[in-house]
C-alpha cells in the first residue's frame, strides 16, 4: 500500500480526489501503518530507557551496547519512514473530510511527541556513554 502511494506521488498520478485514486480501505491501511510505526517508536524508547539504566552497572555488556545501538538505528529508520508516510497522507487528504485531516494532525502530533521523547533519551544515552569512557590522558607540555 505504501509503495502504491509512493509511486503515485512520484509519478504525479496522485490527486486529492480519493474516490478515484485511493480507496477508503487503502487509506485506512495507511493510517494504521503510521499508527503502528509510532507505536514501534514508543516501544523502542521504552527498550532504550531500560538499556540506559543498565549502562555502567554489572549488567553493562558488549551485547547490551550493541543492542542499544541497533535499536537506535532501527528507530531512526522508523522515524524517517513514518515522517514520509505522514507527509504522503497529508498530500493525499488535503481536500478530504475534516475528520481525515484531524486524523493526520493527530498522527503528526503523536510522531512529534515520540521523536521529542526519543531525542531526549538519545542525549541521556550519549552523556552516560561519554561519562563511562576512560579519561583521555593529557599530553605533558614539553618545556624547551
Amino acid at each position: 500500500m505504501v509503495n502504491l502511494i509512493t509511486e503515485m506521488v512520484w509519478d504525479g498520478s496522485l490527486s486529492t480526489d480519493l474516490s478515484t485514486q485511493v480507496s477508503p480501505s487503502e487509506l485506512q491501511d495507511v493510517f494504521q501503518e503510521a499508527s503502528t510505526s509510532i507505536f514501534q517508536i514508543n516501544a523502542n524508547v521504552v527498550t532504550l530507557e531500560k538499556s540506559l539504566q543498565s549502562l555502567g552497572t554489572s549488567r553493562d555488556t558488549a551485547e547490551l551496547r550493541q543492542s542499544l545501538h541497533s535499536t537506535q538505528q532501527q528507530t531512526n529508520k522508523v522515524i524517517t519512514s513514518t515522517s514520509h508516510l505522514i507527509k504522503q497522507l497529508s498530500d493525499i487528504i488535503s481536500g478530504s473530510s475534516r475528520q481525515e485531516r484531524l486524523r493526520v494532525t493527530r498522527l503528526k502530533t503523536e510522531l512529534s511527541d515520540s521523536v521529542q521523547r526519543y531525542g531526549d533519551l538519545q542525549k541521556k544515552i550519549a552523556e552516560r556513554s561519554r561519562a563511562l569512557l576512560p579519561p583521555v590522558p593529557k599530553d605533558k607540555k614539553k618545556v624547551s
Side-chain angles (χ1 to χ4, degrees), residues 36-87:
T36 300
S37 295
I38 292 169
F39 179 84
Q40 182 62 55
I41 294 165
N42 289 327
N44 287 357
V45 166
V46 170
T47 299
L48 290 168
E49 286 171 339
K50 290 177 182 176
S51 296
L52 175 62
Q53 292 173 358
S54 297
L55 280 180
T57 70
S58 60
R59 297 177 300 198
D60 189 352
T61 63
E63 291 81 19
L64 172 80
R65 289 178 184 241
Q66 179 57 42
S67 172
L68 195 138
H69 180 71
S70 296
T71 302
Q72 286 178 300
Q73 287 183 320
Q74 194 248 352
T75 303
N76 292 338
K77 289 178 185 176
V78 173
I79 288 170
T80 299
S81 66
T82 306
S83 296
H84 286 92
L85 186 62
I86 291 174
K87 169 70 171 102

Side-chain angles (χ1 to χ4, degrees), residues 31 93 96-106:
F31 273 109
I93 61 124
S96 297
S97 71
R98 182 174 186 268
Q99 180 183 1
E100 288 175 338
R101 290 192 310 269
L102 288 173
R103 286 178 73 189
V104 171
T105 300
R106 185 170 52 246

